[in-house]
Amino acid sequence: MTGPLAGLHVVELTTEIAGCYAAKLLVDLGADVVKVEPPAGDPLRRWGPFPDGLRDPRRSGLFEYLNAGKRCATLDVDQPGDAAAARELIAAANVLVEDFAPGTLEGWGLGPDDLDRLNPNLVLLRISAFGQTGPWRDRRATPLTLQAASGWISARDPERPPVQVGARIPEYVAGAYGALGALTALRLPAAGGVRQVDVSQLEALLSTLPYPMLMAERMKSLGLPANLRSAPMLGVVRAADGWVGINCLTGQHWLDVCAMLGLPEYGEQQIAIMLGGPERDEFFAKAEPVLAGQTVAEIVELGQALRIPTSPVNDGATVLDCPQYAERGFFVGAGGPGWSFRRPGPAFRFPKVSAPQPPPADTPPGPLPFAGLRVLDLTTFWAGAYLTCYLGAFGADVIKVESIQRPDGHRYSGAFAYEGDDWYERSPIWQGTNLNKRDLTLDLTSDRGLGIARRLAARADVVVENFSPRVVEQFGLDYDSLVSLRPDVIAVRMPGYGLQGPWRDYVGWALNFEQTAGMSAVTGYPDGPPCNPQGPADPIVGVHAGVALLAALEHRRRTGEGRLIEIAQIEVAACVTAEPVIEYSMNGVVAPREGNRRRGYLQGVYPTSDEGCWVALSVPDDPRVDHDVFDEMVAAWTRTRAAGDVVELMRAQGIPAERVVTGEGMYDIPQLQARGYYEEFEHPITGSHRYPGWPFRITPGPPRHHRGVPPTLGQHNEEILRDLGCSADELAALRAERVIGERVLNA
């Protein structure tokens, strides 16, 4: 094997997507993975899709996608001979991955104490529904009930139940966090015995939402409804030949959309239209015929020409024809003799590697895995900032660069100008993504500001950015320029559409990437339009970028080579939405949206006697039962009972059931409290808040999720610049020239 993780040995004991995907990410980075299957085979072999629909466990498309590059061993760990063979594999491994119910490994004699004796240097990655500890440890769950408990099920139509995200996407999310946790644990000392990484799927899903608990807290403080939400405009709309996403992020986007549609008179009515009411109906009555007269490609081309975040809403068929994926060769051939299909390629690319330098001097591992790592954070909004927040949490010195002319746009998410001069410091979404950092303002359009940025880059181990490609290139902070400043630098570039290709300079944010990749097409009611997930693409991208970065850091430790890492956000989103493209390329089938259903279960989301409160429950499928009749009977029963009573009654019968949680209820989940998922910090302007942590615990490892409160704008200007050698007079000159500052210009 080649790749930055060449030489890493992994044993995989998994039965579901989450653990399997964690190991797949390690394979894609060069690790040697031995997958141990029981004599009956991995259950994913029986999932499909199968060529021509003929069930053949040797020709399962999803299994092939998740396990390409792995070596397989068939072992029955209940048999002494096979159990000994499994122990021999584990004794020689660096990482063991498992996703069974808590206690399963212990029953096989492979619990942490057993593994300590077998291989004390091992990292044990454990992925389970709620984690290995806490009052919900042994609580039964299904993918639907986990989505309900974490806030992933959301209202789409006031006349219908809230609906889940489709295509098993949430299961990939936990796997990505698992890979990140395992590689983080490998940076910790092994002297204490086996290092356990305990991943909670509930927490993994919660960690990808835009801080609904913080937003609910904020809305209540403003006297507004706690779960007030407005849909992005225009959202998913119909074109002549399919669906298209038009996702206004700014007031200027809205004005441009109105001009594009020939409806400039609605330019001042954005808020009223977003919140519903007669203005919304009137606007869409005029806009929809205009859009229906144009093709998806025409609307995307025109919208992007106006710099409006516009994208196709691709499904398993159209995604293969998307020019950006096609030009970049992202979807690759797979299968074998007599059967073939296409599947996503790796979620990361390493297009450039620097000339070898003397490897950095090894420092003794400490309690924080990234201690001593210097990171220059040139990110904006969420995906890149999520990665740097993680690095800072566990020891890296992260310098976040903004400017008083153009601060990070994420500061304006959930902040309102009427709140006073410091209103841009009040965004809970910005705060949740920017703990653990020092904040520096620099006007990079000035020579002095750019010079300081270059001096910081010369000191940095890692530089991270997620702008469209031309931004850092215009500033001379692209990879080749960074290498001239520090030859072994690792540059993480996270453009929406990639560094090359016909859509290289397209504008977009999370909803565009989810739409382009197929995430929206698989979400929604079978007889309704595609629906956007709640924007989880950003943190999902950040986690994948973290996996690639940790692999690159390990490679640099061994070889002295720095490198460029390219994380195209539309490619990461496609990696976790693999099944639709596999099925279409194999059989020419675009499966309809499933709503809240899933093969193997009778399940749904049902009303209760509590106003606006829903419950999700699942029972094993029974071919004798008509699902529509099941839904009607269950709904008739649940709507006469309180949500808490329904959940408790179902659980007493061994039936997985959960309340559909919203932001205002996320602080009250006992499992999260028991596992210390939230940590409290005092923000100097907005006061005390409980911020979400990371969805895993490393034992032994860091005792806390975060190290510091989110900074205010330019809070660390003097501290950082004095460390660079700037005098008091130089600082005063920089401030007078507005190269630096602590307040937004013209705020």
Side-chain angles (χ1 to χ4, degrees):
M1 299 290 291
T2 60
L5 291 183
L8 184 74
H9 298 286
V10 180
V11 173
E12 176 192 334
L13 290 168
T14 71
T15 60
E16 296 291 349
I17 286 176
C20 197
Y21 187 67
K24 170 193 158 41
L25 292 177
L26 302 180
V27 164
D28 288 344
L29 291 162
D32 172 36
V33 175
V34 177
K35 181 181 183 67
V36 176
E37 294 188 71
D42 186 329
L44 287 173
R45 288 186 180 273
R46 299 186 287 279
W47 180 264
F50 303 105
D52 302 318
L54 302 175
R55 294 176 64 85
D56 181 348
R58 298 166 300 175
R59 297 185 173 190
S60 170
L62 188 61
F63 179 89
E64 287 293 318
Y65 167 61
L66 291 169
N67 293 285
K70 300 176 184 177
R71 296 186 291 140
C72 289
T74 301
L75 297 173
D76 183 350
V77 294
D78 289 322
Q79 299 300 316
D82 284 2
R87 286 183 170 82
E88 186 175 341
L89 288 171
I90 294 168
N94 305 107
V95 179
L96 173 62
V97 182
E98 66 99 355
D99 62 3
F100 297 101
T104 302
L105 281 193
E106 286 79 355
W108 291 338
L110 292 173
D113 292 340
D114 306 296
L115 295 173
D116 266 341
R117 293 186 290 271
L118 183 65
N119 182 353
N121 296 320
L122 188 71
V123 166
L124 171 60
L125 170 57
R126 315 191 75 172
I127 303 175
S128 60
F130 299 107
Q132 303 291 320
T133 62
W136 288 12
R137 180 189 116 127
D138 298 314
R139 192 176 179 115
R140 292 193 176 188
T142 68
L144 180 72
T145 63
L146 281 171
Q147 285 202 46
S150 63
W152 266 54
I153 292 178
S154 56
R156 310 291 180 173
D157 181 333
E159 304 300 320
R160 307 180 75 168
V163 71
Q164 67 177 340
V165 175
R168 304 186 67 171
I169 292 168
E171 298 172 59
Y172 293 85
V173 173
Y177 277 110
L180 180 66
L183 293 180
T184 302
L186 283 167
R187 295 177 62 89
L188 292 168
V194 168
R195 290 152 288 175
Q196 295 184 64
V197 182
D198 172 12
V199 179
S200 159
Q201 294 188 56
L202 169 71
E203 295 169 14
L205 297 187
L206 196 59
S207 295
T208 62
L209 297 178
Y211 310 104
M213 72 298 293
L214 289 168
M215 281 298 295
E217 177 186 67
R218 176 144 173 75
M219 292 298 101
K220 286 192 287 188
S221 74
L222 296 172
L224 298 171
N227 296 304
L228 180 66
R229 290 181 58 197
S230 58
M233 297 296 292
L234 303 175
V236 174
V237 290
R238 190 180 288 279
D241 59 344
W243 299 93
V244 66
I246 302 174
N247 309 293
C248 297
L249 192 59
T250 67
Q252 187 61 53
H253 288 154
W254 173 253
L255 293 173
D256 292 339
V257 164
C258 291
M260 180 178 76
L261 297 174
L263 300 171
E265 64 270 24
Y266 290 94
E268 301 302 318
Q269 298 186 43
Q270 181 183 14
I271 301 300
I273 293 170
M274 287 175 67
L275 295 178
E279 298 92 346
R280 182 183 180 90
D281 293 340
E282 180 183 289
F283 172 79
F284 274 94
K286 295 180 179 180
E288 286 172 348
V290 177
L291 294 164
Q294 303 174 67
T295 66
V296 170
E298 289 169 343
I299 296 170
V300 170
E301 183 176 2
L302 178 57
Q304 288 288 343
L306 295 170
R307 310 300 289 165
I308 300 166
T310 312
S311 55
V313 180
N314 286 319
D315 58 25
T318 60
V319 72
L320 288 167
D321 297 324
C322 179
Q324 187 68 0
Y325 288 122
E327 177 78 15
R328 290 170 59 82
F330 173 67
F331 292 104
V332 299
W339 69 298
S340 65
F341 62 93
R342 299 186 70 75
R343 62 171 178 82
F348 16 70
R349 302 182 186 220
F350 299 91
K352 293 184 178 181
V353 178
S354 70
Q357 307 297 314
D362 273 339
T363 56
L368 294 178
F370 307 129
L373 193 71
R374 292 186 171 186
V375 179
L376 182 60
D377 179 348
L378 302 177
T379 68
T380 187
F381 285 94
W382 198 7
Y386 191 78
L387 166 61
T388 54
C389 180
Y390 179 76
L391 298 174
F394 294 135
D397 177 19
V398 179
I399 296 176
K400 181 175 181 66
V401 176
E402 307 179 74
S403 73
I404 60 173
Q405 293 81 6
R406 293 191 64 179
D408 184 344
H410 221 29
R411 285 186 176 273
Y412 303 145
S413 300
F416 306 98
Y418 66 77
E419 294 184 89
D421 292 343
D422 58 4
W423 66 275
Y424 51 84
E425 300 285 9
R426 297 179 176 273
S427 166
I429 296 178
W430 190 90
Q431 290 181 14
T433 312
N434 286 281
L435 299 105
N436 318 308
K437 304 177 185 180
R438 297 193 289 164
D439 196 281
L440 171 70
T441 53
L442 284 179
D443 178 7
L444 298 183
T445 66
S446 70
D447 289 341
R448 296 187 72 175
L450 188 56
I452 291 170
R454 291 174 61 84
R455 290 170 64 190
L456 290 170
R459 293 182 168 197
D461 297 286
V462 178
V463 178
V464 184
E465 65 89 14
N466 65 322
F467 289 91
S468 58
R470 60 184 181 179
V471 173
V472 295
E473 292 164 8
Q474 288 171 345
F475 288 134
L477 293 172
D478 56 290
Y479 177 68
D480 290 340
S481 301
L482 293 173
V483 167
S484 70
L485 300 170
R486 174 161 179 167
D488 67 345
V489 69
I490 297 173
V492 183
R493 302 194 62 184
M494 304 167 63
Y497 294 95
L499 297 178
Q500 289 85 31
W503 291 9
R504 173 186 188 268
D505 294 318
Y506 273 18
V507 295
W509 54 296
L511 297 188
N512 294 93
F513 311 141
E514 293 165 7
Q515 291 158 359
T516 302
M519 295 174 73
S520 299
V522 297
T523 301
Y525 311 104
D527 57 349
C531 293
N532 296 319
Q534 299 180 60
D538 274 297
I540 293 171
V541 168
V543 171
H544 282 76
V547 172
L549 171 60
L550 296 194
L553 285 168
E554 170 59 21
H555 182 79
R556 191 181 74 167
R557 184 191 66 79
R558 295 196 317 267
T559 67
E561 294 177 346
R563 58 180 55 205
L564 169 63
I565 302 171
E566 179 188 359
I567 311 289
Q569 297 189 43
I570 62 165
E571 293 180 351
V572 173
C575 283
V576 301
T577 320
E579 192 171 343
V581 74
I582 293 171
E583 183 156 18
Y584 178 79
S585 61
M586 182 183 290
N587 295 318
V589 173
V590 176
R593 283 177 283 282
E594 294 184 306
N596 287 318
R597 297 184 180 180
R598 173 176 155 171
R599 189 195 325 165
Y601 294 103
L602 293 166
Q603 64 177 30
V605 176
Y606 304 103
T608 69
S609 62
D610 299 325
E611 184 178 355
C613 193
W614 301 77
V615 294
L617 61 88
S618 305
V619 299
D621 193 10
D622 185 335
R624 300 168 297 177
V625 178
D626 180 276
H627 207 313
D628 291 336
V629 173
F630 175 83
D631 287 341
E632 291 172 7
M633 293 177 61
V634 173
W637 179 76
T638 60
R639 66 167 45 98
T640 65
R641 289 165 170 79
D645 292 342
V646 172
V647 171
E648 291 307 314
L649 286 167
M650 291 295 97
R651 290 186 55 244
Q653 299 297 318
I655 297 172
E658 297 292 348
R659 182 195 305 256
V660 175
V661 72
T662 56
E664 63 182 333
M666 290 176 178
Y667 282 128
D668 302 325
I669 299 174
Q671 181 70 1
L672 301 180
Q673 296 171 355
R675 286 171 59 84
Y677 178 69
Y678 297 108
E679 289 188 347
E680 190 163 353
F681 287 89
E682 183 80 19
H683 188 272
I685 292 174
T686 59
S688 179
H689 304 286
R690 285 181 288 165
Y691 295 96
W694 311 104
F696 50 76
R697 309 291 176 278
I698 302 175
T699 307
R704 295 184 58 108
H705 287 294
H706 297 294
R707 290 193 302 144
V709 67
T712 56
L713 185 69
Q715 178 179 339
H716 302 96
N717 284 344
E718 293 205 12
E719 176 184 307
I720 294 168
L721 294 177
R722 285 189 183 279
D723 186 54
L724 279 180
C726 290
S727 67
D729 289 344
E730 288 173 311
L731 288 169
L734 290 169
R735 189 167 280 109
E737 296 169 16
R738 295 178 174 172
V739 175
I740 65 171
E742 289 76 35
R743 301 196 60 80
V744 171
L745 196 61
N746 301 320

